[in-house]
Amino acid sequence: MKIDLNSDMGEGFGVFRVTDDDALMGVVSSANIACGFHAGDPQIMTRMVRQAKARGVGIGAHPGLPDLQGFGRRELPFSHDEIRQQMLYQIGALTAIAKAEGTRVSHVSFHAAMGNMINRDPALADLCIAAIKAVDPDLIVFSMPDTEVERAAKAAGLKTLTLFLADRAYDAKGHLVPRGVPNSVITAEPAVRARVRQFLTEATVTTIEGQILPVRARSILIHSDTPGSLDLARIVRSEIEATGGTVAPARDVLA
């Protein structure tokens, strides 16, 4: 089976970097590139696009709320149309950079608070997905399974790729445990390895309460700002390959 391995990347600003993006680009098959609102800037975006093109990694827009100080993780009271505009602005910026570098954006993956707000609001999900389709109907939408983003994308006829988050705890409803809760972010290498192996062999995850839940996904996400993300991504890749899988970009997974 082909499995996508993706990470949110380019999430530094200016001279500041969150992780070794260049090394991480050699491990993943898809890169969700910050587009300048919650992190990133034109220089970082261009470097990420060039790296992805050189390595055959899928290029994705990773739009977030305009909140550098809060890293896009704080929900802000924007209207539906303002969120739509912010999303389009960011996708457009990365699309222009990619085109100038002789490549293209292949997918969209929402960041943090923006994604949470869209997934809570069916009307906002429909609005944003319609805007994505208007920009490029070939864009793949990344989402967790059984969310408003996935529903809206499928209804609009867009391709979707569902995610398993290797470094985040799930609750009994299949939602991510809020980051402020102890053990919500999983950084221990043995724990990440065990979770990934369970997902790959059983298509399940053990929740923070100890329950076993099914997981419907074809892509595994490691957040680049999780401590030790580069080593964790290497572990995920090794587990995919050890179980007979092939790491491939989203477009190949869905082909």
Side-chain angles (χ1 to χ4, degrees), residues 189-223:
E189 294 183 11
V192 170
R193 187 180 294 278
R195 284 165 56 82
V196 171
R197 187 175 303 159
Q198 178 181 344
F199 163 71
L200 291 170
T201 59
E202 303 173 18
T204 64
V205 64
T206 301
T207 71
I208 200 168
E209 301 92 351
Q211 296 176 263
I212 305 295
L213 290 182
V215 179
R216 176 177 54 81
R218 293 289 301 278
S219 181
I220 301 176
L221 169 65
I222 285 287
H223 291 89

Side-chain angles (χ1 to χ4, degrees), residues 87-107:
M87 179 200 71
L88 286 172
Y89 186 100
Q90 294 172 83
I91 294 172
L94 189 66
T95 297
I97 290 172
K99 186 173 182 179
E101 295 297 325
T103 186
R104 65 181 296 272
V105 174
S106 62
H107 69 273

Side-chain angles (χ1 to χ4, degrees), residues 80 117-118 120-130 148 151-152:
H80 282 195
M117 294 170 75
I118 294 171
R120 274 205 313 271
D121 191 328
L124 180 57
D126 288 335
L127 183 69
C128 289
I129 292 299
E148 286 299 328
R151 175 202 60 76

Side-chain angles (χ1 to χ4, degrees), residues 222-253:
I222 285 287
H223 291 89
S224 66
D225 65 314
T226 296
S229 58
L230 177 58
D231 289 335
L232 296 181
R234 287 170 174 158
I235 286 170
V236 173
R237 187 177 184 110
S238 71
E239 286 296 322
I240 294 172
E241 294 171 343
T243 54
T246 301
V247 177
R251 60 182 179 271
D252 295 336
V253 171

Side-chain angles (χ1 to χ4, degrees), residues 45-123:
M45 293 163 69
T46 301
R47 191 179 80 248
M48 291 294 93
V49 166
R50 289 172 177 170
Q51 285 275 349
K53 179 185 177 184
R55 296 174 181 267
V57 171
I59 296 169
H62 191 46
L65 296 183
D67 182 21
L68 283 173
Q69 188 172 15
F71 199 62
R73 289 193 172 133
R74 302 182 294 189
E75 294 194 8
L76 301 173
F78 293 111
S79 70
H80 282 195
D81 195 47
E82 287 173 324
I83 291 174
R84 174 184 177 275
Q85 293 164 11
Q86 293 163 5
M87 179 200 71
L88 286 172
Y89 186 100
Q90 294 172 83
I91 294 172
L94 189 66
T95 297
I97 290 172
K99 186 173 182 179
E101 295 297 325
T103 186
R104 65 181 296 272
V105 174
S106 62
H107 69 273
V108 176
S109 179
F110 294 108
H111 175 71
M114 177 179 277
N116 292 339
M117 294 170 75
I118 294 171
N119 270 320
R120 274 205 313 271
D121 191 328

